[in-house]
Structures are given as C-alpha cells and as structure tokens.
mmCIF file of all heavy atoms in Angstrom:
data_model
loop_
_atom_site.group_PDB
_atom_site.id
_atom_site.type_symbol
_atom_site.label_atom_id
_atom_site.label_comp_id
_atom_site.label_asym_id
_atom_site.label_seq_id
_atom_site.Cartn_x
_atom_site.Cartn_y
_atom_site.Cartn_z
ATOM 1 N N PHE A 1 175.411 -194.278 -99.384
ATOM 2 C CA PHE A 1 174.357 -193.925 -100.278
ATOM 3 C C PHE A 1 174.429 -194.698 -101.607
ATOM 4 O O PHE A 1 175.523 -194.942 -102.112
ATOM 5 C CB PHE A 1 174.351 -192.410 -100.556
ATOM 6 C CG PHE A 1 174.079 -191.575 -99.324
ATOM 7 C CD1 PHE A 1 175.045 -190.763 -98.813
ATOM 8 C CD2 PHE A 1 172.837 -191.668 -98.724
ATOM 9 C CE1 PHE A 1 174.784 -190.000 -97.649
ATOM 10 C CE2 PHE A 1 172.583 -190.935 -97.581
ATOM 11 C CZ PHE A 1 173.559 -190.093 -97.032
ATOM 12 N N ASN A 2 173.233 -194.990 -102.142
ATOM 13 C CA ASN A 2 173.103 -195.678 -103.427
ATOM 14 C C ASN A 2 173.844 -196.980 -103.463
ATOM 15 O O ASN A 2 174.436 -197.379 -104.474
ATOM 16 C CB ASN A 2 173.554 -194.786 -104.581
ATOM 17 C CG ASN A 2 172.551 -193.659 -104.835
ATOM 18 O OD1 ASN A 2 171.352 -193.827 -104.629
ATOM 19 N ND2 ASN A 2 173.044 -192.510 -105.252
ATOM 20 N N SER A 3 173.817 -197.692 -102.322
ATOM 21 C CA SER A 3 174.437 -199.034 -102.267
ATOM 22 C C SER A 3 173.411 -200.058 -102.693
ATOM 23 O O SER A 3 172.192 -199.775 -102.771
ATOM 24 C CB SER A 3 174.943 -199.340 -100.868
ATOM 25 O OG SER A 3 173.850 -199.432 -99.970
ATOM 26 N N ASP A 4 173.838 -201.266 -102.935
ATOM 27 C CA ASP A 4 172.945 -202.342 -103.402
ATOM 28 C C ASP A 4 171.903 -202.725 -102.344
ATOM 29 O O ASP A 4 170.799 -203.176 -102.661
ATOM 30 C CB ASP A 4 173.742 -203.570 -103.793
ATOM 31 C CG ASP A 4 174.641 -203.356 -104.997
ATOM 32 O OD1 ASP A 4 174.291 -202.437 -105.802
ATOM 33 O OD2 ASP A 4 175.641 -204.062 -105.131
ATOM 34 N N ASN A 5 172.243 -202.545 -101.093
ATOM 35 C CA ASN A 5 171.372 -202.949 -99.992
ATOM 36 C C ASN A 5 170.676 -201.775 -99.291
ATOM 37 O O ASN A 5 170.192 -201.921 -98.182
ATOM 38 C CB ASN A 5 172.147 -203.773 -98.956
ATOM 39 C CG ASN A 5 172.782 -205.008 -99.537
ATOM 40 O OD1 ASN A 5 172.113 -205.720 -100.305
ATOM 41 N ND2 ASN A 5 174.036 -205.260 -99.191
ATOM 42 N N GLY A 6 170.625 -200.633 -99.978
ATOM 43 C CA GLY A 6 170.087 -199.424 -99.341
ATOM 44 C C GLY A 6 168.568 -199.362 -99.339
ATOM 45 O O GLY A 6 167.875 -200.070 -100.123
ATOM 46 N N GLU A 7 168.004 -198.493 -98.487
ATOM 47 C CA GLU A 7 166.582 -198.215 -98.451
ATOM 48 C C GLU A 7 166.367 -196.746 -98.753
ATOM 49 O O GLU A 7 167.192 -195.881 -98.453
ATOM 50 C CB GLU A 7 166.041 -198.554 -97.055
ATOM 51 C CG GLU A 7 166.195 -199.980 -96.651
ATOM 52 C CD GLU A 7 165.610 -200.278 -95.302
ATOM 53 O OE1 GLU A 7 164.398 -200.294 -95.145
ATOM 54 O OE2 GLU A 7 166.420 -200.483 -94.337
ATOM 55 N N THR A 8 165.220 -196.463 -99.366
ATOM 56 C CA THR A 8 164.927 -195.071 -99.738
ATOM 57 C C THR A 8 164.658 -194.206 -98.521
ATOM 58 O O THR A 8 164.232 -194.677 -97.462
ATOM 59 C CB THR A 8 163.689 -194.988 -100.651
ATOM 60 O OG1 THR A 8 162.594 -195.625 -100.006
ATOM 61 C CG2 THR A 8 163.979 -195.702 -101.945
ATOM 62 N N LEU A 9 164.966 -192.913 -98.641
ATOM 63 C CA LEU A 9 164.758 -191.957 -97.588
ATOM 64 C C LEU A 9 163.430 -191.263 -97.657
ATOM 65 O O LEU A 9 162.947 -190.671 -96.692
ATOM 66 C CB LEU A 9 165.885 -190.923 -97.567
ATOM 67 C CG LEU A 9 167.305 -191.473 -97.323
ATOM 68 C CD1 LEU A 9 168.349 -190.381 -97.458
ATOM 69 C CD2 LEU A 9 167.408 -192.115 -95.944
ATOM 70 N N PHE A 10 162.844 -191.283 -98.877
ATOM 71 C CA PHE A 10 161.536 -190.637 -99.089
ATOM 72 C C PHE A 10 160.590 -191.609 -99.759
ATOM 73 O O PHE A 10 161.009 -192.413 -100.622
ATOM 74 C CB PHE A 10 161.670 -189.391 -99.967
ATOM 75 C CG PHE A 10 162.545 -188.326 -99.348
ATOM 76 C CD1 PHE A 10 163.907 -188.219 -99.723
ATOM 77 C CD2 PHE A 10 162.032 -187.445 -98.407
ATOM 78 C CE1 PHE A 10 164.705 -187.229 -99.166
ATOM 79 C CE2 PHE A 10 162.857 -186.464 -97.838
ATOM 80 C CZ PHE A 10 164.178 -186.341 -98.217
ATOM 81 N N ASP A 11 159.292 -191.542 -99.416
ATOM 82 C CA ASP A 11 158.298 -192.402 -100.096
ATOM 83 C C ASP A 11 157.804 -191.736 -101.358
ATOM 84 O O ASP A 11 158.300 -190.678 -101.769
ATOM 85 C CB ASP A 11 157.150 -192.718 -99.152
ATOM 86 C CG ASP A 11 156.370 -191.490 -98.690
ATOM 87 O OD1 ASP A 11 156.413 -190.451 -99.377
ATOM 88 O OD2 ASP A 11 155.661 -191.576 -97.658
ATOM 89 N N GLU A 12 156.834 -192.338 -101.995
ATOM 90 C CA GLU A 12 156.346 -191.851 -103.272
ATOM 91 C C GLU A 12 155.683 -190.478 -103.191
ATOM 92 O O GLU A 12 155.574 -189.757 -104.161
ATOM 93 C CB GLU A 12 155.342 -192.862 -103.855
ATOM 94 C CG GLU A 12 155.985 -194.230 -104.263
ATOM 95 C CD GLU A 12 154.990 -195.186 -104.804
ATOM 96 O OE1 GLU A 12 153.791 -194.869 -104.806
ATOM 97 O OE2 GLU A 12 155.429 -196.291 -105.275
ATOM 98 N N GLU A 13 155.256 -190.129 -101.986
ATOM 99 C CA GLU A 13 154.619 -188.802 -101.779
ATOM 100 C C GLU A 13 155.633 -187.758 -101.327
ATOM 101 O O GLU A 13 155.267 -186.609 -101.055
ATOM 102 C CB GLU A 13 153.511 -188.916 -100.752
ATOM 103 C CG GLU A 13 152.352 -189.839 -101.171
ATOM 104 C CD GLU A 13 151.304 -189.907 -100.138
ATOM 105 O OE1 GLU A 13 151.494 -189.398 -99.018
ATOM 106 O OE2 GLU A 13 150.226 -190.543 -100.447
ATOM 107 N N GLY A 14 156.901 -188.153 -101.260
ATOM 108 C CA GLY A 14 157.955 -187.196 -100.862
ATOM 109 C C GLY A 14 158.086 -187.036 -99.360
ATOM 110 O O GLY A 14 158.775 -186.120 -98.898
ATOM 111 N N LYS A 15 157.415 -187.922 -98.605
ATOM 112 C CA LYS A 15 157.509 -187.830 -97.158
ATOM 113 C C LYS A 15 158.647 -188.729 -96.645
ATOM 114 O O LYS A 15 159.005 -189.712 -97.289
ATOM 115 C CB LYS A 15 156.186 -188.283 -96.518
ATOM 116 C CG LYS A 15 154.991 -187.397 -96.850
ATOM 117 C CD LYS A 15 153.711 -187.917 -96.234
ATOM 118 C CE LYS A 15 152.520 -187.014 -96.579
ATOM 119 N NZ LYS A 15 151.267 -187.518 -95.978
ATOM 120 N N ALA A 16 159.200 -188.349 -95.516
ATOM 121 C CA ALA A 16 160.326 -189.108 -94.943
ATOM 122 C C ALA A 16 159.864 -190.510 -94.573
ATOM 123 O O ALA A 16 158.785 -190.724 -94.020
ATOM 124 C CB ALA A 16 160.840 -188.375 -93.707
ATOM 125 N N THR A 17 160.711 -191.497 -94.922
ATOM 126 C CA THR A 17 160.440 -192.872 -94.543
ATOM 127 C C THR A 17 160.879 -193.094 -93.120
ATOM 128 O O THR A 17 161.467 -192.234 -92.492
ATOM 129 C CB THR A 17 161.202 -193.856 -95.466
ATOM 130 O OG1 THR A 17 162.610 -193.574 -95.336
ATOM 131 C CG2 THR A 17 160.792 -193.653 -96.935
ATOM 132 N N ASP A 18 160.555 -194.272 -92.568
ATOM 133 C CA ASP A 18 160.974 -194.609 -91.210
ATOM 134 C C ASP A 18 162.486 -194.546 -91.056
ATOM 135 O O ASP A 18 162.995 -194.168 -89.999
ATOM 136 C CB ASP A 18 160.464 -196.018 -90.825
ATOM 137 C CG ASP A 18 158.953 -196.052 -90.652
ATOM 138 O OD1 ASP A 18 158.338 -194.957 -90.494
ATOM 139 O OD2 ASP A 18 158.414 -197.160 -90.663
ATOM 140 N N VAL A 19 163.209 -194.940 -92.117
ATOM 141 C CA VAL A 19 164.656 -194.924 -92.087
ATOM 142 C C VAL A 19 165.148 -193.501 -91.863
ATOM 143 O O VAL A 19 166.012 -193.244 -91.001
ATOM 144 C CB VAL A 19 165.234 -195.478 -93.414
ATOM 145 C CG1 VAL A 19 166.758 -195.294 -93.450
ATOM 146 C CG2 VAL A 19 164.879 -196.921 -93.561
ATOM 147 N N LEU A 20 164.612 -192.536 -92.637
ATOM 148 C CA LEU A 20 165.027 -191.146 -92.489
ATOM 149 C C LEU A 20 164.553 -190.577 -91.135
ATOM 150 O O LEU A 20 165.320 -189.830 -90.466
ATOM 151 C CB LEU A 20 164.508 -190.322 -93.636
ATOM 152 C CG LEU A 20 164.845 -188.810 -93.599
ATOM 153 C CD1 LEU A 20 166.357 -188.590 -93.482
ATOM 154 C CD2 LEU A 20 164.337 -188.102 -94.838
ATOM 155 N N ASN A 21 163.342 -190.901 -90.729
ATOM 156 C CA ASN A 21 162.815 -190.357 -89.481
ATOM 157 C C ASN A 21 163.667 -190.792 -88.293
ATOM 158 O O ASN A 21 163.874 -190.038 -87.317
ATOM 159 C CB ASN A 21 161.369 -190.782 -89.263
ATOM 160 C CG ASN A 21 160.381 -189.925 -90.046
ATOM 161 O OD1 ASN A 21 160.618 -188.712 -90.209
ATOM 162 N ND2 ASN A 21 159.302 -190.515 -90.511
ATOM 163 N N GLU A 22 164.179 -192.028 -88.356
ATOM 164 C CA GLU A 22 165.067 -192.506 -87.289
ATOM 165 C C GLU A 22 166.326 -191.680 -87.209
ATOM 166 O O GLU A 22 166.797 -191.305 -86.138
ATOM 167 C CB GLU A 22 165.379 -193.972 -87.537
ATOM 168 C CG GLU A 22 166.271 -194.573 -86.446
ATOM 169 C CD GLU A 22 166.608 -196.024 -86.686
ATOM 170 O OE1 GLU A 22 166.001 -196.645 -87.587
ATOM 171 O OE2 GLU A 22 167.440 -196.578 -85.957
ATOM 172 N N ARG A 23 166.897 -191.384 -88.404
ATOM 173 C CA ARG A 23 168.110 -190.573 -88.435
ATOM 174 C C ARG A 23 167.843 -189.119 -87.968
ATOM 175 O O ARG A 23 168.636 -188.546 -87.225
ATOM 176 C CB ARG A 23 168.696 -190.542 -89.856
ATOM 177 C CG ARG A 23 169.042 -191.904 -90.439
ATOM 178 C CD ARG A 23 170.092 -192.632 -89.644
ATOM 179 N NE ARG A 23 171.377 -191.945 -89.652
ATOM 180 C CZ ARG A 23 172.492 -192.524 -89.260
ATOM 181 N NH1 ARG A 23 172.514 -193.746 -88.807
ATOM 182 N NH2 ARG A 23 173.645 -191.843 -89.281
ATOM 183 N N LEU A 24 166.684 -188.605 -88.341
ATOM 184 C CA LEU A 24 166.341 -187.222 -87.931
ATOM 185 C C LEU A 24 166.173 -187.170 -86.422
ATOM 186 O O LEU A 24 166.620 -186.179 -85.804
ATOM 187 C CB LEU A 24 165.041 -186.810 -88.625
ATOM 188 C CG LEU A 24 165.088 -186.591 -90.141
ATOM 189 C CD1 LEU A 24 163.704 -186.284 -90.691
ATOM 190 C CD2 LEU A 24 166.085 -185.505 -90.489
ATOM 191 N N GLY A 25 165.563 -188.169 -85.846
ATOM 192 C CA GLY A 25 165.397 -188.209 -84.391
ATOM 193 C C GLY A 25 166.755 -188.226 -83.722
ATOM 194 O O GLY A 25 166.934 -187.528 -82.673
ATOM 195 N N PHE A 26 167.707 -188.992 -84.241
ATOM 196 C CA PHE A 26 169.043 -189.041 -83.658
ATOM 197 C C PHE A 26 169.762 -187.718 -83.802
ATOM 198 O O PHE A 26 170.435 -187.256 -82.849
ATOM 199 C CB PHE A 26 169.826 -190.160 -84.337
ATOM 200 C CG PHE A 26 171.154 -190.481 -83.708
ATOM 201 C CD1 PHE A 26 171.342 -190.345 -82.369
ATOM 202 C CD2 PHE A 26 172.206 -190.860 -84.515
ATOM 203 C CE1 PHE A 26 172.577 -190.654 -81.799
ATOM 204 C CE2 PHE A 26 173.466 -191.151 -83.948
ATOM 205 C CZ PHE A 26 173.641 -191.047 -82.591
ATOM 206 N N LEU A 27 169.638 -187.091 -84.953
ATOM 207 C CA LEU A 27 170.246 -185.783 -85.208
ATOM 208 C C LEU A 27 169.765 -184.734 -84.172
ATOM 209 O O LEU A 27 170.570 -183.996 -83.585
ATOM 210 C CB LEU A 27 169.969 -185.288 -86.627
ATOM 211 C CG LEU A 27 170.739 -185.917 -87.759
ATOM 212 C CD1 LEU A 27 170.097 -185.553 -89.091
ATOM 213 C CD2 LEU A 27 172.205 -185.464 -87.742
ATOM 214 N N HIS A 28 168.467 -184.665 -83.976
ATOM 215 C CA HIS A 28 167.928 -183.690 -83.068
ATOM 216 C C HIS A 28 168.258 -184.031 -81.598
ATOM 217 O O HIS A 28 168.513 -183.116 -80.808
ATOM 218 C CB HIS A 28 166.407 -183.567 -83.260
ATOM 219 C CG HIS A 28 166.002 -182.866 -84.515
ATOM 220 N ND1 HIS A 28 166.080 -181.483 -84.682
ATOM 221 C CD2 HIS A 28 165.582 -183.315 -85.724
ATOM 222 C CE1 HIS A 28 165.684 -181.159 -85.855
ATOM 223 N NE2 HIS A 28 165.379 -182.224 -86.558
ATOM 224 N N ALA A 29 168.282 -185.298 -81.270
ATOM 225 C CA ALA A 29 168.673 -185.695 -79.923
ATOM 226 C C ALA A 29 170.129 -185.301 -79.637
ATOM 227 O O ALA A 29 170.443 -184.834 -78.540
ATOM 228 C CB ALA A 29 168.489 -187.194 -79.752
ATOM 229 N N CYS A 30 170.983 -185.478 -80.642
ATOM 230 C CA CYS A 30 172.385 -185.089 -80.441
ATOM 231 C C CYS A 30 172.546 -183.605 -80.350
ATOM 232 O O CYS A 30 173.392 -183.091 -79.595
ATOM 233 C CB CYS A 30 173.215 -185.629 -81.611
ATOM 234 S SG CYS A 30 173.464 -187.421 -81.527
ATOM 235 N N ARG A 31 171.759 -182.835 -81.103
ATOM 236 C CA ARG A 31 171.850 -181.367 -80.987
ATOM 237 C C ARG A 31 171.405 -180.906 -79.605
ATOM 238 O O ARG A 31 172.011 -180.020 -79.008
ATOM 239 C CB ARG A 31 171.024 -180.684 -82.093
ATOM 240 C CG ARG A 31 171.154 -179.153 -82.019
ATOM 241 C CD ARG A 31 170.625 -178.485 -83.264
ATOM 242 N NE ARG A 31 169.190 -178.620 -83.404
ATOM 243 C CZ ARG A 31 168.501 -178.067 -84.409
ATOM 244 N NH1 ARG A 31 169.145 -177.351 -85.329
ATOM 245 N NH2 ARG A 31 167.185 -178.244 -84.487
ATOM 246 N N ASP A 32 170.342 -181.526 -79.074
ATOM 247 C CA ASP A 32 169.898 -181.200 -77.730
ATOM 248 C C ASP A 32 170.965 -181.544 -76.702
ATOM 249 O O ASP A 32 171.230 -180.792 -75.744
ATOM 250 C CB ASP A 32 168.613 -181.946 -77.397
ATOM 251 C CG ASP A 32 167.414 -181.461 -78.204
ATOM 252 O OD1 ASP A 32 167.507 -180.368 -78.780
ATOM 253 O OD2 ASP A 32 166.395 -182.195 -78.264
ATOM 254 N N ALA A 33 171.643 -182.683 -76.933
ATOM 255 C CA ALA A 33 172.702 -183.086 -75.998
ATOM 256 C C ALA A 33 173.884 -182.145 -76.080
ATOM 257 O O ALA A 33 174.537 -181.849 -75.045
ATOM 258 C CB ALA A 33 173.153 -184.523 -76.336
ATOM 259 N N ASP A 34 174.167 -181.640 -77.265
ATOM 260 C CA ASP A 34 175.272 -180.674 -77.398
ATOM 261 C C ASP A 34 174.947 -179.391 -76.667
ATOM 262 O O ASP A 34 175.846 -178.766 -76.034
ATOM 263 C CB ASP A 34 175.499 -180.370 -78.912
ATOM 264 C CG ASP A 34 176.140 -181.510 -79.660
ATOM 265 O OD1 ASP A 34 176.725 -182.409 -78.980
ATOM 266 O OD2 ASP A 34 176.074 -181.512 -80.869
ATOM 267 N N GLY A 35 173.693 -178.948 -76.672
ATOM 268 C CA GLY A 35 173.309 -177.733 -75.955
ATOM 269 C C GLY A 35 173.457 -177.937 -74.460
ATOM 270 O O GLY A 35 173.939 -177.030 -73.775
ATOM 271 N N LYS A 36 173.042 -179.090 -73.971
ATOM 272 C CA LYS A 36 173.206 -179.424 -72.571
ATOM 273 C C LYS A 36 174.682 -179.462 -72.157
ATOM 274 O O LYS A 36 175.055 -178.979 -71.093
ATOM 275 C CB LYS A 36 172.535 -180.746 -72.262
ATOM 276 C CG LYS A 36 172.647 -181.257 -70.815
ATOM 277 C CD LYS A 36 171.952 -182.619 -70.680
ATOM 278 C CE LYS A 36 172.148 -183.165 -69.277
ATOM 279 N NZ LYS A 36 171.518 -184.489 -69.124
#
C-alpha cells in the first residue's frame, strides 16, 4: 500500500476500481472454495 507504483482502489465517485474488483472476486472465490 501507498507505494510509488500503486493504483487507487476507489475512483472519484467512491466506487471500486478494476484493481479492487479483481481482488474482491478472488476473495469471494477463495471463500467459496473454502466452503467446498
């Protein structure tokens, strides 16, 4: 976080950016896998 080469997680409207959405998708996929 807050590195020189980082990308923002939220846009100007406070919505998740593609970067954050990709991480969210991975988080939920892993939680589903844990349940299985």
Side-chain angles (χ1 to χ4, degrees):
F1 296 115
N2 288 328
S3 65
D4 294 335
N5 300 317
E7 299 181 72
T8 56
L9 298 175
F10 298 99
D11 63 20
E12 294 180 354
E13 297 180 353
K15 297 179 180 179
T17 61
D18 290 343
V19 174
L20 179 55
N21 279 326
E22 181 180 352
R23 302 299 296 193
L24 292 175
F26 188 34
L27 284 168
H28 287 284
C30 287
R31 183 165 67 177
D32 291 344
D34 287 343
K36 178 181 177 182

